[in-house]
Amino acid sequence: MINNEIALRNTYDMLALLNSGGCRSWVQDGTLLGLVRDGQVMRWDHDTDIGLWTPTWKPACWSWLENAGFTSHSVLGTEQSGWQQRWTRNGVKTDIFFYYTDDAGNYWHSAYLRNTVEYRFTYAPFKLTTIETTTGSMPAPDPPEHFLETKYGPDWRTPKRQWHFATSPLNSTKVQ
């Protein structure tokens, strides 16, 4: 079980660091789901999730995160396509999912099953808003409910006991 206080602090700090340096990022996926639905990170989750516009990434972001006590755990994919970074601080993991734009103008990011099998998650274009948490305001897709419905379906408010991060989302496609 995740420590909600540490998870929220890590997410808040990482978003503040990245955004203050011009790396546009936001809370997403299971972390956003927990914050919107339950007002906290889901206790059974094993990490937190952040999205980031790939064109805004700067090499300096890496050292900013390290200077704030985050440790790089792994890097999957490439910066040019399907990049994902995994970081830890105080025993809580955070995934950064890098967003790209496809030929139709939709946004997508990748995640990796067993660090090798790539899945892509596609979203209609969205802007960012802020959501309030006990730690402070965090950027999130606008509206968060539409983002959550795209991934989890119209019944996203109902917890699902059988959920797989790669194969369960409605917007998931396995990359061949």
Side-chain angles (χ1 to χ4, degrees):
M1 290 181 41
I2 201 165
N3 180 306
N4 190 63
E5 186 177 324
I6 294 172
L8 276 174
R9 174 52 53 193
N10 283 0
T11 303
Y12 180 85
D13 289 351
M14 185 176 278
L15 288 168
L17 273 167
L18 292 169
N19 284 308
S20 70
C23 299
R24 290 190 55 212
S25 56
W26 59 90
V27 64
Q28 70 162 48
D29 291 350
T31 307
L32 178 65
L33 176 63
L35 291 172
V36 171
R37 185 182 66 197
D38 307 323
Q40 63 182 4
V41 175
M42 294 181 290
R43 296 224 181 268
W44 58 87
D45 209 342
H46 62 278
D47 65 8
T48 59
D49 306 300
I50 289 177
L52 189 144
W53 295 115
T54 303
T56 67
W57 175 258
K58 302 170 186 169
C61 297
W62 196 280
S63 59
W64 299 338
L65 292 172
E66 288 177 332
N67 291 338
F70 291 97
T71 303
S72 174
H73 178 60
S74 62
V75 177
L76 304 167
T78 68
E79 186 174 356
Q80 292 72 34
S81 179
W83 211 16
Q84 177 186 351
Q85 296 179 4
R86 293 181 175 158
W87 295 82
T88 59
R89 185 173 80 171
N90 299 323
V92 175
K93 293 188 293 186
T94 300
D95 285 332
I96 301 177
F97 298 101
F98 288 75
Y99 274 68
Y100 304 82
T101 305
D102 68 18
D103 292 339
N106 294 309
Y107 301 151
W108 64 271
H109 75 83
S110 291
Y112 294 84
L113 177 62
R114 292 184 299 279
N115 294 339
T116 58
V117 181
E118 181 181 3
Y119 284 81
R120 287 194 179 166
F121 305 85
T122 305
Y123 300 87
F126 56 86
K127 295 187 183 298
L128 297 178
T129 188
T130 57
I131 59 170
E132 296 303 318
T133 74
T134 56
T135 307
S137 297
M138 293 186 197
D142 186 19
E145 296 81 5
H146 180 70
F147 185 92
L148 293 169
E149 187 170 327
T150 299
K151 186 156 206 152
Y152 300 102
D155 63 341
W156 61 268
R157 289 175 183 83
T158 304
K160 296 173 180 69
R161 292 193 181 271
Q162 301 296 320
W163 178 263
H164 190 273
F165 81 93
T167 58
S168 295
L170 299 180
N171 63 338
S172 171
T173 304
K174 184 178 178 181
V175 176
Q176 299 298 328

